[in-house]
Amino acid sequence: MNAKVTTTTDISDDIPGRRTVDVVAFGIVTSAILLFTATGSVIGPDIVRALMGQSPGPDQFVLNAFLLNIAIIIFGWSRYRELNAELAVRTREEAAARRLAETDPLTGFLNRRSFGMRADVMIAKARESGRAVALMMIDLDNFKQVNDFNGHAAGDQLLRQCAARIREVVPIGSAIARIGGDEFAIAIEYAPAQSGHVDRLAEILLRQLARTMRVGGTTADITGSLGLASTARSHRAAEPADAQVLLEYADVAMYHAKHQGRNSFSWFEPQMAEELHLRTELEDKIRRGIPAGEFVPYYERQMDLGTGRLCGFEMLARWQSPDLGLVSPDIFIPIAEDIGAIAELSEELIRQALQDAKGWPRELTLSVNISPLQLRDPWFAQKLLKLLVESSFPAERLEIEITESCLHQNVGQVRSLLTSLKNQGIKVSLDDFGTGFSSLAQLRSLPFDHMKIDRSFIERIDTDMDAATIVRGIAMMGEGLHLPITAEGIANVHVLNELRKLGPVKGQGHYFGAPRPACDLGDWISAGTAPRGGSVSATPAGLERTPRTLDLETTTSNESRRSGRV
């Protein structure tokens, strides 16, 4: 399958059913010329003989007819040219209007309506010749982020670059369309025995889109999620699939690829439609559940590992759905982020948590995790401060946690936001440290108060020498930077004893008890705020009853798999 230049529209300048010349004017001129020839042949010899003095001259009536024919030819030809010029202008205008109606003005590709008609024609011809047609749906990953950060002009520039890269590799004779903001569709004809060519083309397209692009004065890294459907594959349909049905199948496969980690492609399988239906149902339930108060905060203890004193709680999100029961945050947080509901969800949970924490002893702190999407909101600091004022909760008792990956999206914006929060007395913690690519320069320049070591290292500290070395190194770094360390994911007493060797460290994890709702924190608070003689409660979390959670693993993405933090 050669990757050459492809035509995308093939729209002729001729409008079907319209004359390209004015036939009436042309007929009049032609008749006048014929009459001129006939009369000229009659009076010509008479004029010659009159000039030689051999006759009185041509008949006056015939001469007048001859002169009238000359006038008709002159004025008729002039009018014929004017009419043709008007007709040509009208034809071009109608062709331009048709082109605008059938193509995308930004990329020059077909639009959704004309793509469907073109694809249906390709499918019909392919069936007659024993060939197949594959439809591709491409959605750009993270396009909204680039568009929001750099403006719509930069977004348009990025779309044009993506369109140019798609055009470079798609075979001649294929149909290409831009059918949405950042969605493209491609129809390709191929031999059914050579479906591997379609796979290779999909891989080439993804590589093309993943190449760094220049947008204005900066660069942008964009990937694509691609879905495939074909007339040569069985889709459990009673009738042969047309372009609209195949486009829907490819769209389902594209969303499956996106939820599996993005920058990949998937062929449509019937079970994907069921998964998409389930996800769509979850999206609707999440949107309705937020204002209904179905999302509630749970709390995990944070302990001083040296003294055994309770230091505070970290808020974790739980969804108490009336239809589904207690839904795991690994399910609903990625979906809430995808549909743009995470900010509203997080604010509602923080509002509840601030009200709960008002009743705790004053020495206990409240930690809340902030989604990377919220950090892109320039008004987030003001929104958080408004929640503090509404609840009359002291800012110095609140600590927000941001993940290390947030530092690579817009360091300047993150620095401005954190500085604004710090100026109000709110503490800031760097969460999941060790899983990203933070530099020492960033750690020194950003106003962090704590570092939290990612659970992936803590869980293996007693069995993996490399993990233990990394944890010790992070602890020494924190001491050098005057950043207290918190270890998350403490699961057993052996991990606890290893962490105690590092000096003053705080910790949290299921070893200290599974997260609880606010109404069940009484015994923890009453027993945990007094010194415990240097020991920590040795009740394993496994002895506490953990509520049932809904397992919908196929609906989650590979991203944002955190422990219910928002």
Side-chain angles (χ1 to χ4, degrees):
M1 191 174 284
N2 296 325
K4 301 293 185 182
V5 177
T6 179
T7 57
T8 59
T9 57
D10 295 332
I11 296 177
S12 171
D13 286 338
D14 294 334
I15 303 298
R18 178 172 293 280
R19 302 189 306 266
T20 57
V21 297
D22 192 298
V23 177
V24 175
F26 183 74
I28 292 173
V29 172
T30 303
S31 299
I33 293 174
L34 293 174
L35 187 58
F36 169 80
T37 304
T39 55
S41 64
V42 173
I43 67 172
D46 291 341
I47 292 175
V48 173
R49 284 194 294 268
L51 292 175
M52 296 176 63
Q54 298 176 359
S55 71
D59 182 85
Q60 190 64 36
F61 178 78
V62 177
L63 179 61
N64 291 338
F66 179 74
L67 294 175
L68 180 61
N69 282 338
I70 294 176
I72 291 175
I73 291 172
I74 293 173
F75 289 109
W77 182 255
S78 175
R79 182 56 182 161
Y80 170 73
R81 291 181 60 187
E82 291 176 359
L83 289 174
N84 276 350
E86 293 176 7
L87 187 60
V89 170
R90 187 180 304 174
T91 300
R92 286 195 297 269
E93 289 175 348
E94 293 185 8
R98 183 180 176 212
R99 185 178 295 108
L100 288 175
E102 295 187 356
T103 62
D104 169 51
L106 183 66
T107 62
F109 289 164
L110 300 170
N111 58 24
R112 178 183 286 270
R113 176 178 174 275
S114 55
F115 176 79
M117 293 188 294
R118 178 70 59 82
D120 277 331
V121 172
M122 292 178 62
I123 291 172
K125 291 182 178 179
R127 286 189 177 130
E128 292 175 358
S129 60
R131 295 174 65 81
V133 173
L135 261 64
M136 293 182 175
M137 274 285 293
I138 305 174
D139 183 82
L140 302 181
D141 304 325
N142 303 322
F143 173 76
K144 186 178 184 300
Q145 176 183 341
V146 175
N147 205 40
D148 292 345
F149 280 163
N150 301 286
H152 294 292
D156 290 347
Q157 183 182 352
L158 183 64
L159 287 172
R160 283 192 291 268
Q161 291 186 49
C162 290
R165 294 186 179 185
I166 292 173
R167 185 183 288 110
E168 287 176 1
V169 300
V170 173
I172 295 174
S174 302
I176 314 176
R178 177 179 173 230
I179 61 174
D182 60 344
E183 290 185 335
F184 297 90
I186 304 170
I188 303 167
E189 185 179 331
Y190 70 101
Q194 298 177 337
S195 60
H197 291 338
V198 181
D199 289 352
R200 286 192 288 275
L201 178 60
E203 294 171 353
I204 293 172
L205 280 168
L206 293 176
R207 286 200 299 268
Q208 282 282 89
L209 294 175
R211 288 164 42 208
T212 299
M213 301 184 190
R214 192 76 184 174
V215 180
T218 184
T219 59
D221 292 315
I222 291 290
T223 58
S225 298
L226 192 151
L228 287 160
S230 171
T231 58
R233 293 196 169 211
S234 173
H235 301 125
R236 298 181 185 173
E239 298 293 333
D242 59 10
Q244 181 61 35
V245 172
L246 285 180
L247 200 60
E248 293 175 0
Y249 289 161
D251 191 53
V252 170
M254 180 270 291
Y255 274 104
H256 180 82
K258 186 177 289 289
H259 299 148
Q260 293 301 309
R262 307 185 179 188
N263 195 26
S264 61
F265 72 91
S266 295
W267 282 93
F268 173 79
E269 299 293 343
Q271 66 269 20
M272 292 181 183
E274 299 173 5
E275 294 174 8
L276 183 64
H277 174 74
L278 177 58
R279 180 185 170 89
T280 302
E281 183 181 351
L282 285 175
E283 291 177 359
D284 182 62
K285 290 182 182 296
I286 289 173
R287 290 190 178 97
R288 289 188 285 107
I290 295 174
E294 297 176 9
F295 294 88
V296 294
Y298 271 50
Y299 300 94
E300 184 175 66
R301 283 196 285 187
Q302 294 178 324
M303 312 292 292
D304 185 318
L305 302 188
T307 65
R309 181 187 293 271
L310 177 67
C311 304
F313 293 94
E314 179 178 0
M315 183 199 75
L316 308 177
R318 295 292 184 267
W319 180 14
Q320 188 62 60
S321 169
D323 301 324
L324 306 173
L326 191 65
V327 182
S328 167
D330 286 345
I331 302 297
F332 66 81
I333 288 181
I335 297 177
E337 290 180 336
D338 287 345
I339 65 176
I342 191 65
E344 181 184 2
L345 171 59
S346 178
E347 289 173 21
E348 287 299 319
L349 288 170
I350 292 174
R351 179 179 286 108
Q352 295 180 55
L354 292 175
Q355 291 295 332
D356 292 340
K358 283 174 59 178
W360 301 346
R362 287 178 297 176
E363 62 268 25
L364 296 184
T365 61
L366 170 66
S367 297
V368 296
N369 195 281
I370 303 303
S371 166
L373 298 179
Q374 291 176 274
L375 292 179
R376 302 172 195 163
D377 181 1
W379 300 103
F380 172 72
Q382 287 77 4
K383 293 177 181 178
L384 188 59
L385 292 174
K386 180 182 178 182
L387 293 176
L388 286 171
V389 171
E390 290 176 352
S391 62
S392 300
F393 188 79
E396 60 273 11
R397 289 179 58 195
L398 177 65
E399 179 175 299
I400 68 167
E401 300 180 3
I402 67 172
T403 58
E404 194 176 2
S405 59
C406 296
L407 305 184
H408 307 288
Q409 298 177 4
N410 193 328
V411 177
Q413 184 175 350
V414 172
R415 181 183 293 108
S416 175
L417 173 63
L418 299 188
T419 301
S420 176
L421 295 176
K422 288 276 291 180
N423 290 339
Q424 300 299 323
I426 299 173
K427 294 181 174 60
V428 183
S429 176
L430 179 60
D431 195 14
D432 296 341
F433 183 77
T435 60
F437 301 94
S438 297
S439 66
L440 291 177
Q442 285 178 327
L443 292 179
R444 294 182 60 185
S445 65
L446 294 173
F448 290 114
D449 295 290
H450 297 91
M451 281 197 307
K452 296 186 72 173
I453 307 176
D454 186 69
R455 66 180 62 246
S456 61
F457 301 114
I458 300 300
E459 292 170 345
R460 297 180 287 119
I461 191 175
D462 61 326
T463 59
D464 188 330
M465 291 298 297
D466 292 336
T469 301
I470 292 173
V471 172
R472 285 195 297 269
I474 294 175
M476 294 177 62
M477 181 190 306
E479 183 179 357
L481 295 173
H482 306 290
L483 292 177
I485 298 297
T486 298
E488 56 182 356
I490 301 175
N492 56 62
V493 69
H494 305 293
V495 171
L496 175 65
N497 291 334
E498 290 295 323
L499 288 171
R500 281 175 169 169
K501 301 175 183 178
L502 302 179
V505 174
K506 294 181 181 179
Q508 63 187 84
H510 278 215
Y511 178 76
F512 305 118
R516 297 179 178 180
C519 59
D520 294 338
L521 299 181
D523 58 338
W524 277 358
I525 293 176
S526 61
T529 54
R532 302 289 300 275
S535 64
V536 179
S537 173
T539 303
L543 298 180
E544 302 197 31
R545 190 175 68 87
T546 301
R548 179 183 64 86
T549 61
L550 178 67
D551 182 14
L552 298 173
E553 193 68 22
T554 57
T555 66
T556 66
S557 68
N558 291 332
E559 299 180 356
S560 305
R561 292 188 179 277
R562 301 186 295 272
S563 299
R565 302 179 178 90
V566 294

